[in-house]
Amino acid sequence: MGKGSALSDGVVKKIILSYTYVAIWIFLSFTVIVYNKYILDRKLYNWPFPISLTMIHMAFCSSLAFFLVKILKLVEPVALSRQLYLTSVLPIGALYALSLWLSNSAYIYLSVSFIQMLKALMPVAVYSIGILFKKDSYKGNTMLNMVAISVGVAIAAYGEAKYDSWGVLLQLGAVAFEATRLVLIQILLTSKGINLNPITSLYYVAPSCLCFLSVPWIFVEYPVLRENSSFHFDFVVFGTNSLCAFALNLAVFLLVGKTSALTMNVAGVFKDWLLIAFSWSVIKDTVTPVNLIGYGLAFLGVGYYNHSKLQVLKAKEAQKKSQQDDEESGKLLGEGEGKDGGEGIGKKGDNHA
């Protein structure tokens, strides 16, 4: 009785912790998205420099990660060879830089709600790139699901009141680069057994991301900023914004590490609905019925995709457990046969004597 009670308490505690991680991630993701929109939007804070904003984030994350790893020594750095860094970390840093740059740029042209609708294409991009890199196998049912999601997003785009082709192109590019980054993390890092925690990930990836961003910044935004002598760096706004971005990076790894990437995907759908509601009610973005119908269809497609992945994971876990049970049964059977064999030899010996 006591054992069952203790087990149920442990399960309840695990569920509460999982929901806590989800709530922290949703809150921080929500905060960073709205904060970035506030800074970049010409009608709000009016600082339309997405590369500069992303560089500020990466510089802050790099500095804080360096301080925690090298000065306070709270975390041990991972031993990476030069070749491994160039072939694994550097491409991921480059893709991360492009994804953040384009994603932040889209906030200048599109509403928060419409951007969240376009982000529903992430499973489509990840699955397609996974097939391209031979990480996933082609399945007719899954591809049909991807088509349904794409059609839903297309309907949502058709119903968008403030549609901007350049903004849509930027956001689709951000989705493509982010999906490629996620696939490369699986291929390059997981396959090579590199174990990076949240802080060491930023310690290695953020500086490379900062370096890649500096190239377009010099040619695109630096000349404009140099001419704009009226700008004064607001330490409160950019400092708190960067702190939120750093905390979000930690929360992503915490959520995936303590639960799973699937949990984050499911929570992400809920977060998108919250952002759409917030965008409509607080920011006063226009959300049309066609928008909602299209995103509703995409939402159902993403929900079915997540459900299918969950079923596959459950099947794998059941198969793994069955194999473990078979191995244990085999060991017990082997031990039993050994004991019986020993007793038989002993009896024969006694009879012979």
Side-chain angles (χ1 to χ4, degrees), residues 223-264:
V224 181
L225 285 168
R226 187 175 56 184
E227 291 176 5
N228 188 5
S229 58
S230 62
F231 172 72
H232 298 286
F233 191 85
D234 191 329
F235 285 95
V236 175
V237 170
F238 293 104
T240 53
N241 181 247
S242 298
L243 190 60
C244 288
F246 179 81
L248 176 60
N249 278 286
L250 297 186
V252 168
F253 284 96
L254 181 67
L255 179 61
V256 174
K258 297 297 183 180
T259 57
S260 67
L262 183 61
T263 302
M264 191 177 80

Side-chain angles (χ1 to χ4, degrees), residues 18-79:
S18 296
Y19 277 108
T20 302
Y21 297 137
V22 168
I24 291 170
W25 175 75
I26 288 177
F27 172 76
L28 289 171
S29 181
F30 189 98
T31 303
V32 170
I33 288 170
V34 174
Y35 211 159
N36 286 352
K37 172 66 175 177
Y38 166 75
I39 291 172
L40 295 166
D41 198 301
R42 296 180 191 277
K43 296 177 182 177
L44 300 172
Y45 190 78
N46 191 25
W47 199 69
F49 300 103
I51 305 176
S52 301
L53 182 63
T54 310
M55 287 180 70
I56 291 169
H57 290 171
M58 291 300 103
F60 183 87
C61 289
S62 300
S63 302
L64 196 51
F66 179 84
F67 181 74
L68 294 173
V69 172
K70 288 295 186 181
I71 308 300
L72 296 183
K73 299 187 185 297
L74 292 178
V75 185
E76 285 293 325
V78 179

Side-chain angles (χ1 to χ4, degrees), residues 40 81 108 119 130 148 157 202 219 232 258 289 297 304 322 343:
L40 295 166
S81 64
I108 300 173
K119 284 182 179 179
L202 290 174
F219 296 102
H232 298 286
K258 297 297 183 180
L297 178 60
Y304 180 76
S322 178
E343 289 174 4

Side-chain angles (χ1 to χ4, degrees), residues 86-299:
L86 292 175
T87 57
S88 299
V89 178
L90 217 57
I92 290 170
L95 290 167
Y96 194 35
L98 289 167
S99 172
L100 290 172
W101 169 22
L102 297 184
S103 180
N104 283 334
S105 299
Y107 285 108
I108 300 173
Y109 305 96
L110 303 176
S111 66
V112 171
S113 57
F114 187 43
I115 286 174
Q116 302 317 121
M117 294 177 190
L118 292 175
K119 284 182 179 179
L121 287 170
M122 185 60 74
V124 180
V126 171
Y127 181 66
S128 302
I129 292 167
I131 292 174
L132 189 64
F133 282 90
K134 297 181 180 179
K135 188 66 180 176
D136 282 313
S137 56
Y138 176 85
K139 295 177 183 176
N141 290 339
T142 307
M143 185 53 71
L144 190 63
N145 188 10
M146 298 298 108
V147 171
I149 295 171
S150 302
V151 169
V153 173
I155 293 171
Y158 179 78
E160 175 61 19
K162 298 178 181 177
Y163 183 87
D164 187 287
S165 297
W166 178 240
V168 170
L169 190 63
L170 288 171
Q171 185 55 48
L172 292 179
V175 168
F177 285 123
E178 179 63 12
T180 308
R181 184 180 77 93
L182 294 174
V183 173
L184 280 186
I185 286 173
Q186 281 186 304
I187 295 172
L188 297 175
L189 297 186
T190 309
S191 63
K192 295 184 179 180
I194 302 171
N195 186 20
L196 296 175
N197 61 46
I199 297 173
T200 52
S201 296
L202 290 174
Y203 176 75
Y204 288 110
V205 174
S208 64
C209 187
L210 180 63
C211 290
F212 281 112
L213 285 168
S214 64
V215 177
W217 179 77
I218 290 171
F219 296 102
V220 178
E221 293 186 2
Y222 174 68
V224 181
L225 285 168
R226 187 175 56 184
E227 291 176 5
N228 188 5
S229 58
S230 62
F231 172 72
H232 298 286
F233 191 85
D234 191 329
F235 285 95
V236 175
V237 170
F238 293 104
T240 53
N241 181 247
S242 298
L243 190 60
C244 288
F246 179 81
L248 176 60
N249 278 286
L250 297 186
V252 168
F253 284 96
L254 181 67
L255 179 61
V256 174
K258 297 297 183 180
T259 57
S260 67
L262 183 61
T263 302
M264 191 177 80
N265 288 338
V266 174
V269 174
F270 177 68
K271 179 207 70 179
D272 290 344
W273 279 112
L274 284 177
L275 278 165
I276 290 170
F278 179 85
S279 177
W280 170 72
S281 59
V282 179
I283 304 178
K284 303 300 180 183
D285 284 334
T286 303
V287 180
T288 67
V290 178
N291 269 148
L292 294 178
I293 290 170
Y295 184 66
L297 178 60
F299 167 76

Side-chain angles (χ1 to χ4, degrees), residues 1-15 321:
M1 184 80 176
K3 187 176 179 181
S5 177
L7 181 62
S8 63
D9 289 344
V11 171
V12 170
K13 184 178 179 181
K14 187 175 181 180
I15 292 171
K321 187 176 181 182

